[in-house]
Amino acid sequence: MESSAIVAHIIEQHRVRPGALLPMLHAMQDALGCIPPEAVPPIAQALNLSRAEVHGVISYYAHFRQTPPGRHVVRVCCAEACQAVGGEALAEHARERLAGSGITLEPVYCLGLCACGPSVQVDETTLHARVTLEKLDALIAALESAS
Amino acid sequence: MRTTIFVPGDAAALALGADAVATAISEEAARRGIAIKLVRNGSRGMVWLEPLVEVATPRGRIAYGPVAPAEVPGLFAAGFLTGGVHALCLGPTEEIPWLARQQRLVCRRVGVVDPRSLADYVARGGGEGLRRARAMAPAEIVRAVTESGLRGRGGAAFPAGIKWQTVRATAAPQKYVVCNADEGDSGTFSDRMLMEGDPYCLLEGMAIAGLAVGAAQGYIYVRSEYPHAVAALEAALAGAGDFLGNFTIEVRVGAGSYVCGEETALLESIEGKRGIVRAKPPLPAVAGLFGQPTLINNLITFASVPDILAQGAAAYRDLGCGRSRGTLPFQLAGNIKHGGLVEVPFGLSLRELLYDFGGGSRSGRPLRAVQVGGPLGAYLPEAQFDTLLDYEAFAAIGAGLGHGGIVAFDDTVDLAGQARYAMKFCAIESCGKCTPCRIGSTRGVEVIDRIRAGDGRQIALLEELCETMTQGSLCAMGSMTPIPVLSALRHFAEDFGGKCE
């Protein structure tokens, strides 16, 4: 299916729900990897909102992105419980290691894995705990060789 | 008769390799031609022992952990299916001292029950609270909640019964029950564990709330950082059949905004808007979701209710100390040796939790500071470790229990750096509606940077800025960010360049 058809299909699926915008945006990002700019006008029309209102919601929430991410998304927890066990050094190491790699690095503020930090999430599905610098290197190497 | 083996599907266990262990167990059993039943339970909360594998035996469940996939053939060889002796054997799970010393009420089934099985939930006493509630008048349900002494577990500790009564007494054709599962505080994971380990308990609590306040529609707002919890709730709802009667529940997923854990921002977010805090009044209990009376509580508050109705309000109220009744699932996190979920009645000391349960730091160095209650909670020095875990005792030292998250730091921590982070986090997550929070947090980072660079005169400015944020912010984000900042400054002045005199 073309992306405009996917957008139209998702809008139809969700438009009648009360408070439909966030579920709609989630479905779109799950299907397309991001919420493309051309999806904004039809969403606004379906929900009787202005394009500015839709854009405001997309840009307010850290989770939503308007451009496609890299081949993979690596999220490193930067919150206090992970800081207490070396999370900052891990995040800094990830920044250096992933620069120019085509893999997207994002900070995340708590994954709820606070008794086994520092923690890392890959592609919103895979979780890793007690991540050392070496373990992170191995994780990234595996992502690079797989893609 | 097939032996039942439990391998947690809890996110923390998964992060520590539980899926690979489950696969290894299935394969080894198949190789040996043994039929087993593999259950993906929640976590018992002993995170340092994850993946914790349990085997059902006539002596009860026997625990082995932490199990690596490579150790699975050895476990079979040692006869672990009948509770055989092995280096990883921890004995009967219920007798592990860390667990045996707890008093689990709200989390009694977490890690025990099969979270995907309503039948298992009911077989372990689930559903009794809802069954009783159906035979009670709404006012009687509210009275039971009031008499239990239950207070909101999200952090504000507002008496639950009063909130329930306000919603009940507000007449409207449409009312809502909303569960706040936007557990964004670092160091907290009890909501996540309950959703993943015993989701029917939450659904039951919300259905009881619906009966009490006259609402037929519920929403659970879960943060997007918890995809496994979302999946567990969806699976539980799909398998709920007619368990909830005519009460319907929908899961709504957040989108990475911390401030959406504030109740009015959360309601805005469900409505499909930016998560901007609303001015109060009106209270959500009067005009909440879509402008209708809305009962919004934290997940642990709702999940506490089935037990209160099943066991009676008095049994709950008899636990705890002072005006803090019942139990709180504390979460030991950060640099701690034995981290995890500790549900105990209020009244233990912080020190008991840190050392008797936590076993001190994970690094082996002395514990220097503890942040209690999330990013908006105070940093406490060793001298305050004897404070009792009780809402009022913590308020008396300018701190709070919040959602029960406890983050430990060893002596390598730089509290000026932590104070800076508190301001930076506020700057990142501020919804932007009120000036003290939006601008004050950014100025706070700058002022702390100047202090750390050696300009001690800026201390007074930081204190004034904090006063403005405390007094002038619309919600807890801006008004409580000064708590970690000022507690760090007060108790760890030496980290601010020794210029705090």
Side-chain angles (χ1 to χ4, degrees), chain B residues 223-240:
Chain B
R223 57 203 298 265
S224 57
E225 291 86 343
Y226 282 2
H228 298 89
V230 172
L233 289 175
E234 296 285 11
L237 284 168

Side-chain angles (χ1 to χ4, degrees), chain B residues 103 149-153 157 316 319-330 343-349 388-392 401-402 404:
Chain B
Q103 196 161 354
L150 178 66
R151 292 163 72 177
R153 297 292 188 235
Y316 194 83
L319 299 170
C321 72
R323 286 170 49 214
S324 305
R325 312 311 311 175
T327 62
L328 187 66
F330 291 95
E343 183 176 352
V344 285
F346 292 93
L348 253 65
S349 73
L388 294 186
L389 298 162
D390 154 317
Y391 292 121
E392 277 65 43
L401 288 180

Side-chain angles (χ1 to χ4, degrees), chain A residues 53-114:
Chain A
E53 284 170 308
V54 176
H55 175 77
V57 170
I58 295 169
S59 55
Y60 178 84
Y61 291 99
H63 179 83
F64 295 131
R65 56 173 81 92
Q66 293 157 280
T67 51
R71 291 169 293 163
H72 297 283
V73 178
V74 172
R75 292 195 171 119
V76 178
C77 179
C78 294
E80 291 92 335
C82 286
Q83 289 170 13
V85 283
E88 282 169 309
L90 186 73
E92 185 53 39
H93 181 72
R95 255 190 298 281
E96 289 166 14
R97 178 67 181 75
L98 289 173
S101 69
I103 294 173
T104 301
L105 174 69
E106 291 178 351
V108 63
Y109 295 93
C110 196
L111 294 165
L113 308 174
C114 315

Side-chain angles (χ1 to χ4, degrees), chain A residues 115-141:
Chain A
C116 50
S119 51
V120 169
Q121 186 193 51
V122 178
D123 296 335
E124 291 180 36
T125 48
T126 318
L127 298 169
H128 303 274
R130 288 190 214 118
V131 181
T132 57
L133 303 189
E134 297 73 28
K135 198 168 161 183
L136 185 70
D137 284 341
L139 257 173
I140 293 168

Side-chain angles (χ1 to χ4, degrees), chain B residues 52-210:
Chain B
L52 181 89
V53 175
E54 289 177 85
V55 182
T57 75
R59 292 189 287 141
R61 280 157 72 157
I62 308 293
Y64 296 83
V67 176
E71 279 155 326
V72 168
L75 284 169
F76 274 87
F80 92 128
L81 289 181
T82 51
V85 177
H86 186 278
L88 295 178
C89 185
L90 300 158
T93 317
E94 308 284 347
E95 293 172 20
I96 297 173
W98 199 84
L99 204 53
R101 283 207 307 266
Q102 301 189 29
Q103 196 161 354
R104 289 197 172 180
L105 297 183
V106 61
C107 297
R108 69 164 78 237
R109 285 184 214 86
V110 175
V112 177
V113 77
D114 177 354
R116 300 212 165 208
S117 167
L118 178 61
D120 198 18
Y121 177 70
V122 171
R124 293 174 195 277
E128 178 61 17
L130 182 56
R131 196 185 63 77
R132 292 195 183 193
R134 284 184 174 134
M136 293 162 77
E140 283 182 272
I141 303 173
V142 173
R143 194 180 313 125
V145 172
T146 306
E147 286 176 358
S148 74
L150 178 66
R151 292 163 72 177
R153 297 292 188 235
F158 186 80
I162 294 177
K163 197 187 258 190
W164 286 40
Q165 171 57 23
T166 309
V167 182
R168 192 185 81 79
T170 307
Q174 173 81 55
K175 298 182 189 179
Y176 297 99
V177 171
V178 175
C179 169
N180 184 346
D182 193 57
E183 187 177 47
D185 287 357
S186 175
T188 64
F189 44 84
S190 60
D191 294 358
R192 180 186 65 67
M193 284 186 61
L194 195 125
M195 286 186 276
E196 292 173 359
D198 190 17
Y200 285 109
C201 180
L202 169 62
L203 305 188
E204 183 182 349
M206 290 178 71
I208 293 169

Side-chain angles (χ1 to χ4, degrees), chain B residues 5 7 19-34 36-38 72 76:
Chain B
I5 302 178
V7 181
D19 272 347
V21 173
T23 305
I25 288 174
S26 293
E27 288 175 356
E28 185 65 19
R31 205 175 62 77
R32 291 170 179 260
I34 303 168
I36 58 162
K37 182 186 176 203
L38 192 67
V72 168
F76 274 87

